[in-house]
Amino acid sequence: MKPLLSRVEAQQLDRAAAMLKVLSHPKRLAIVDLLGKGKGKDNQLSVTDIYQALDLPQAIASQHLITLKDRGVLKSTKVGTKIYYSLAVPQLLKVIDTLEDYSGKV
C-alpha cells in the first residue's frame, strides 16, 4: 500500500497533536486567551491576575499554568516573589480564534 502523502511531516503532526492535547482543557484555553489579550507589560500577567480574572482557585490555576509552561505554551519570569506568565507561542491565538469562530457556527 502506498503511504499517505501529507503537507506536513509525521514529526510535525505529532507535535501539533501534542499541542492540541494540552489545549484541550477549557481552563487552559481560557488562560491562553487571557494572556493573548493581556494589558500588562508584554502581555504578562501574574498568577494572581490569572486566577482572579478566571475565577479559579489559586491551586487549580497554578496546576494549569505549570502544565502549559512544561509543554512550551507559556514562559515565565520571576520578579521578586511574583511569577509572571506570557505566551511562548503567540500564534496559538489564531488557533483559538478559529475554534471560537467555528464553535459559534455549530
Side-chain angles (χ1 to χ4, degrees):
M1 178 178 210
K2 188 175 180 180
L4 182 63
L5 296 177
S6 174
R7 314 181 284 126
V8 186
E9 292 191 27
Q11 286 182 332
Q12 290 172 305
L13 291 172
D14 289 343
R15 286 192 300 270
M19 184 67 68
L20 289 172
K21 186 175 180 180
V22 171
L23 294 174
S24 67
H25 194 286
K27 297 300 182 191
R28 290 195 287 262
L29 272 176
I31 289 169
V32 172
D33 190 54
L34 179 66
L35 285 168
K37 296 175 177 147
K39 303 293 185 213
K41 182 184 176 205
D42 299 324
N43 288 344
Q44 293 184 3
L45 294 173
S46 70
V47 175
T48 304
D49 294 333
I50 293 167
Y51 78 75
Q52 288 178 346
L54 299 176
D55 196 26
L56 290 173
Q58 186 270 331
I60 299 295
S62 291
Q63 287 175 353
H64 287 302
L65 289 164
I66 289 168
T67 298
L68 290 165
K69 183 181 175 199
D70 287 349
R71 301 305 193 286
V73 175
L74 302 181
K75 55 187 175 181
S76 65
T77 306
K78 189 169 184 176
V79 179
T81 59
K82 287 194 170 195
I83 298 175
Y84 291 87
Y85 286 91
S86 60
L87 294 177
V89 187
Q91 300 87 336
L92 287 175
L93 294 173
K94 293 177 186 177
V95 173
I96 293 172
D97 289 342
T98 300
L99 292 171
E100 287 175 349
D101 289 346
Y102 175 76
S103 66
K105 296 176 184 177
V106 177

